[in-house]
Amino acid sequence: MSFLTMKTLHSVLGEMKEKFAHIALECEVVGLGQAPGRVLAADVVAAEQSPGFDRSCVDGYAVVSGDTFGASESVPCFLKVLPPAQMGMATKVSVGRGEAVYVPTGAQIPAGADAVVMVEYCEKLSQDTVAVLHACAPNTNIMYKGDDCGFGGLLAARGTRITPLHIGIMAAAGVTDVPVYIMPCCAIISTGDEIVGLGEPLPLGCIRDVNTHMLGAELEAYGCRVTSRRIVGDSFGEIRAEICRAVCEADIVLISGGTSVGDKDYTRAAIEAVEKDSVFAHGIALKPGKPTIVAKVGGKPVLGLPGQCVSAYIVFKMVVQPFLDSLCGISGGLPHLTAELTANVHSAPGKLTVLAVKLNYAGGKFYADPVHGKSGLISHLMASDGLILIGDRREGLTSGEIVDVVRL
Amino acid sequence: MSFLTMKTLHSVLGEMKEKFAHIALECEVVGLGQAPGRVLAADVVAAEQSPGFDRSCVDGYAVVSGDTFGASESVPCFLKVLPPAQMGMATKVSVGRGEAVYVPTGAQIPAGADAVVMVEYCEKLSQDTVAVLHACAPNTNIMYKGDDCGFGGLLAARGTRITPLHIGIMAAAGVTDVPVYIMPCCAIISTGDEIVGLGEPLPLGCIRDVNTHMLGAELEAYGCRVTSRRIVGDSFGEIRAEICRAVCEADIVLISGGTSVGDKDYTRAAIEAVEKDSVFAHGIALKPGKPTIVAKVGGKPVLGLPGQCVSAYIVFKMVVQPFLDSLCGISGGLPHLTAELTANVHSAPGKLTVLAVKLNYAGGKFYADPVHGKSGLISHLMASDGLILIGDRREGLTSGEIVDVVRL
């Protein structure tokens, strides 16, 4: 038998970044309606100031704040009422000492005014007199021009995945179209004599193809187009032919199965038969996920993932997704949450270990129960709420330690 | 001026559930390829056992475990090698005392064997003899039939939003199609004389329509179809006409703006002109979000949201989304995360207060800094990472308190 020479996850991701530095995702410009969920290919700045004028935050009277100093319910100040401001129109009237203009929420503040007294604190005594029952400081209840975003101000940076809130601020700032990346298209090959497609008869000794469905769903959720999903047996020639085809049709190729060093593990040999010396990593110090292959074929990433579906899922999350993130400038951000581990767990020294946990929440605190069971059961992953990582220098974690949790 | 009679958020959501108990979302059956992101309309159970046979978890020799008891590198046990198991085929050979069968990972365990010794612990001495250097207990390295999911076992419950992992386990269990809800279609009306559509000239005193874009993006992200997005001025007749049209075309109508009790706040009157006494809540003890209207028009939910876009966003998250969740059986689940508040904050007693926070992470712990600033700036919401809630009986929260945070 032969052995793998493992590299650390960190070094493999670094090498991938370097080997595929030539990949520049294409981009396109889409309207705001098509933008949610897409990733910005460039910084987006405000096309207009928001608001474009000084606005009232309340229904009330625009005044010179100095007039109200000392005003109270027992000693109101009396102001002369000028014609009111109208919504959606420039306010032509201006306010001087001893004067007030009614402004509905959102209307333009008249020139001369530096505060708005809420209507609740005013009493209109006649057509042209209002009593102000409350003092107000300068700038009270005014949103100034550009307060929300100034012209040219950054609204969202390259590498941002666009949420409805981004849509909101972009609309507010007059942005109609945004540049977004066109995600790479991917081909998925699931290998193994025992793998049978969904809906086909399932002979004894065979199992359903899980990986083209699960990995395909992950890629589509990311925004990638999946060009093909094929199942091939443990045949060197067929795998080689499928890789050739996939490298032609797609930007990235994922192959699951046959990535270890057994007699029938043809994936590495098939990749190298398509392009000699194309494999630059075989074996990652990651558990699960050790038998992983990374190659550069015709300049394109070809990744061999473990056939076992839980391992394939972990490798997708730990290798493929961070690689996609690096292509489109998505940066890591904060951990999802932290939790207190409720039991000692052992890990595999020398490997970064990924462990499934079930979360419990009590008294403002999260607790993470390790989910044990036979490795490779997708049902155990389903019964979990998150994943924790144990570094390769650790032999395990101790009950009571605080761990970062990646939500599933 | 008039005043609102506020109801608690809890009671409004309860009333909505009751008033709209007659709404039964339609459902459709889709293939796994179309299922990710959809919400299950019924429980999904395993169509097949997974695995469908006892499988080896490793490359190794299937043995009667008792034969290996006491075996070690210095005192191996010697077993007779029978023909190997093949991937993807029923294993016909059976194993007795003193015998061993080579099984690759995933192959069927031969009858009679109750453990698999990893190939690393075996040494093949000749064509028909293997030395086992390691004792193994019964059941070692075997995944039994149905271990991952038993026939008829629950894979995912009604109200589950389908993730790639669900796709994985459903494929593993032979499920080809799933029943999913068809989300309600929604019409959005943005009202206000000052509201101007994106891309149109922006006169002084006017602002861009934000709400049809932002709320539309939220609804689409939820899975709803948005049938129309209209802007109308502060005109009772126009708003009434738009509500009529919207109630005919959509399942749910959202109207933003004109929901307070000012002179030009026509939304409530326009709704009641379409159907008398249809408004059953006007005013929610929620900050921001107080001027919210909930009505039942022609049996359909018509919701009036504050025009101010941050308030509209909060009401969407606190009222509309929980209502949609109740329609399709999505249950709350765990909080997103908890954090330690870094400053005292005041709230509005008598109202449930929603406060934006910026998260910091240090030493395995999250800290939430309250984001202050003029209310109603969408840029402040953008600068935040999450929202916290302060109950209506509280006057505020104290620095150092642990708070639940909803990630933005």
Side-chain angles (χ1 to χ4, degrees):
Chain A
M1 63 178 295
S2 28
F3 295 96
L4 292 173
T5 305
M6 294 186 288
K7 296 183 173 183
T8 66
L9 177 64
H10 182 79
S11 71
V12 169
L13 290 174
E15 266 189 279
M16 288 176 76
K17 219 166 161 172
E18 195 183 298
K19 298 264 184 190
F20 301 113
H22 61 284
I23 299 179
L25 295 185
E26 281 185 67
C27 48
E28 62 181 333
V29 173
V30 298
L32 286 198
Q34 281 65 54
R38 303 291 299 265
V39 176
L40 284 178
D43 293 353
V44 171
V45 298
E48 300 163 357
Q49 293 195 85
S50 173
F53 54 93
D54 301 343
R55 285 185 93 196
S56 177
C57 300
V58 295
D59 291 343
Y61 285 88
V63 299
V64 178
S65 58
D67 283 346
T68 70
F69 295 172
S72 68
E73 297 214 9
S74 47
V75 191
C77 82
F78 301 95
L79 301 175
K80 184 183 170 200
V81 175
L82 305 181
Q86 302 291 333
M87 291 302 293
M89 290 187 194
T91 302
K92 302 245 165 75
V93 66
S94 66
V95 171
R97 295 301 296 242
E99 293 175 336
V101 165
Y102 179 78
V103 280
T105 308
Q108 189 181 14
I109 303 293
D114 69 348
V116 179
V117 191
M118 284 173 77
V119 74
E120 286 87 336
Y121 297 137
C122 299
E123 204 169 323
K124 195 157 180 200
L125 301 178
S126 70
Q127 198 57 30
D128 55 5
T129 307
V130 65
V132 174
L133 313 174
H134 204 282
C136 70
N139 305 328
T140 303
N141 295 324
I142 299 178
M143 186 191 287
Y144 287 99
K145 182 173 175 170
D147 259 359
D148 211 355
C149 46
F151 180 75
L154 181 68
L155 303 178
R158 171 185 172 259
T160 300
R161 200 175 280 274
I162 300 167
T163 66
L165 265 184
H166 292 116
I167 297 296
I169 199 162
M170 293 194 286
V175 174
T176 53
D177 307 282
V178 289
V180 293
Y181 283 118
I182 299 173
M183 290 294 170
C185 57
C186 305
I188 311 174
I189 305 167
S190 188
T191 74
D193 284 338
E194 78 281 22
I195 306 295
V196 169
L198 203 55
E200 288 169 29
L202 186 70
L204 188 63
C206 292
I207 58 166
R208 293 287 172 203
D209 165 43
V210 168
N211 290 339
T212 69
H213 301 282
M214 185 176 64
L215 300 175
E218 282 288 352
L219 288 165
E220 288 179 344
Y222 197 92
C224 298
R225 189 164 64 84
V226 177
T227 57
S228 65
R229 305 164 192 237
R230 306 273 184 112
I231 299 171
V232 292
D234 291 315
S235 146
F236 171 81
E238 280 180 47
I239 298 173
R240 184 182 55 182
E242 277 301 326
I243 293 170
C244 269
R245 192 195 46 71
V247 168
C248 292
E249 91 184 13
D251 302 317
I252 296 177
V253 179
L254 303 187
I255 311 163
S256 81
T259 56
S260 195
V261 288
D263 294 347
K264 291 198 164 185
D265 288 325
Y266 296 124
T267 301
R268 182 185 180 144
I271 294 171
E272 301 227 292
V274 176
E275 185 171 315
K276 212 174 155 230
D277 298 331
S278 58
V279 171
F280 61 87
H282 188 186
I284 299 183
L286 177 67
K287 184 187 177 183
K290 183 183 64 173
T292 294
I293 298 170
V294 191
K296 181 179 173 181
V297 179
K300 295 178 179 179
V302 174
L303 288 109
L305 277 56
Q308 202 285 316
C309 57
V310 172
S311 306
Y313 181 81
I314 299 294
V315 172
F316 185 91
K317 288 292 175 189
M318 301 296 290
V319 180
V320 182
Q321 195 162 306
F323 174 65
L324 292 171
D325 285 352
S326 76
L327 287 182
C328 57
I330 293 179
S331 53
L334 295 168
H336 292 184
L337 60 90
T338 59
E340 184 182 312
L341 199 61
T342 60
N344 293 340
V345 289
H346 295 276
S347 63
K351 287 187 200 159
L352 177 65
T353 301
V354 182
L355 189 80
V357 295
K358 174 98 196 140
L359 291 171
N360 288 300
Y361 174 78
K365 201 165 172 183
F366 284 96
Y367 297 89
D369 302 336
V371 175
H372 293 296
K374 285 177 192 170
S375 75
L377 295 188
I378 193 168
S379 55
H380 282 145
L381 214 48
M382 291 299 315
S384 312
D385 298 304
L387 301 174
I388 63 174
L389 300 183
I390 310 175
D392 60 358
R393 302 288 179 88
R394 301 288 302 260
E395 291 191 318
L397 297 176
T398 314
S399 176
E401 278 195 61
I402 302 298
V403 290
D404 288 351
V405 180
V406 180
R407 284 303 296 264
L408 281 176
Chain B
M1 62 177 296
S2 28
F3 294 96
L4 291 174
T5 304
M6 294 187 287
K7 296 183 173 182
T8 66
L9 177 64
H10 182 78
S11 71
V12 169
L13 289 174
E15 267 190 277
M16 289 176 76
K17 219 166 162 173
E18 195 182 301
K19 297 264 184 189
F20 301 113
H22 62 283
I23 299 179
L25 296 185
E26 281 184 68
C27 47
E28 63 181 332
V29 172
V30 298
L32 286 197
Q34 281 65 53
R38 303 292 299 266
V39 176
L40 284 178
D43 293 353
V44 171
V45 298
E48 298 164 357
Q49 294 196 87
S50 173
F53 54 94
D54 301 342
R55 286 185 92 196
S56 177
C57 301
V58 296
D59 291 342
Y61 285 88
V63 298
V64 177
S65 60
D67 283 345
T68 71
F69 295 172
S72 69
E73 297 214 11
S74 47
V75 191
C77 82
F78 300 95
L79 301 175
K80 183 183 171 200
V81 175
L82 305 181
Q86 300 291 333
M87 291 303 293
M89 291 187 193
T91 302
K92 301 243 167 76
V93 66
S94 66
V95 171
R97 295 300 297 241
E99 293 174 337
V101 165
Y102 179 78
V103 281
T105 308
Q108 189 181 15
I109 303 292
D114 69 348
V116 179
V117 191
M118 285 173 76
V119 73
E120 287 87 336
Y121 297 137
C122 300
E123 206 170 322
K124 195 156 179 202
L125 301 178
S126 70
Q127 198 59 29
D128 54 7
T129 307
V130 65
V132 174
L133 313 174
H134 204 282
C136 69
N139 305 327
T140 302
N141 295 325
I142 298 179
M143 186 190 288
Y144 287 99
K145 182 173 176 171
D147 258 0
D148 211 355
C149 46
F151 180 75
L154 182 69
L155 302 178
R158 171 184 172 260
T160 300
R161 201 176 280 275
I162 300 166
T163 65
L165 265 184
H166 292 115
I167 298 297
I169 198 163
M170 293 193 287
V175 174
T176 53
D177 307 284
V178 290
V180 294
Y181 283 118
I182 299 173
M183 290 294 171
C185 57
C186 305
I188 311 174
I189 305 166
S190 187
T191 75
D193 284 339
E194 78 280 23
I195 305 296
V196 169
L198 203 56
E200 289 169 31
L202 187 70
L204 188 61
C206 292
I207 57 166
R208 293 285 173 205
D209 164 42
V210 168
N211 290 340
T212 70
H213 301 283
M214 184 176 64
L215 299 176
E218 282 288 353
L219 287 165
E220 288 179 344
Y222 197 90
C224 298
R225 189 164 65 84
V226 178
T227 57
S228 64
R229 305 162 192 240
R230 306 273 184 112
I231 299 171
V232 294
D234 291 315
S235 147
F236 172 79
E238 281 181 47
I239 298 173
R240 185 182 53 183
E242 276 301 327
I243 293 171
C244 269
R245 191 194 47 71
V247 168
C248 291
E249 91 185 12
D251 302 316
I252 297 177
V253 179
L254 303 187
I255 311 163
S256 81
T259 55
S260 195
V261 288
D263 294 346
K264 291 200 164 184
D265 288 326
Y266 297 123
T267 300
R268 179 183 183 148
I271 294 171
E272 300 228 292
V274 176
E275 185 171 316
K276 213 176 155 226
D277 298 330
S278 58
V279 171
F280 61 88
H282 188 187
I284 299 184
L286 176 68
K287 185 186 176 183
K290 182 183 62 173
T292 293
I293 297 170
V294 191
K296 180 180 174 181
V297 179
K300 295 178 179 179
V302 173
L303 288 108
L305 277 57
Q308 202 284 316
C309 57
V310 172
S311 305
Y313 181 81
I314 299 294
V315 172
F316 185 89
K317 288 292 176 190
M318 302 296 290
V319 180
V320 183
Q321 195 162 305
F323 174 65
L324 292 171
D325 285 351
S326 75
L327 288 182
C328 56
I330 293 179
S331 53
L334 294 167
H336 292 184
L337 60 89
T338 59
E340 183 182 313
L341 199 62
T342 60
N344 293 340
V345 289
H346 294 276
S347 63
K351 287 186 199 158
L352 177 66
T353 301
V354 182
L355 189 80
V357 295
K358 174 98 195 141
L359 291 172
N360 288 300
Y361 174 79
K365 201 165 172 183
F366 285 97
Y367 296 90
D369 302 336
V371 176
H372 293 295
K374 284 177 192 169
S375 74
L377 295 188
I378 193 168
S379 54
H380 282 145
L381 214 47
M382 291 300 316
S384 312
D385 299 303
L387 302 173
I388 63 174
L389 301 184
I390 310 174
D392 59 357
R393 303 288 178 88
R394 301 289 301 260
E395 291 191 319
L397 297 177
T398 313
S399 176
E401 277 194 63
I402 302 298
V403 290
D404 288 352
V405 181
V406 179
R407 285 301 296 265
L408 281 176

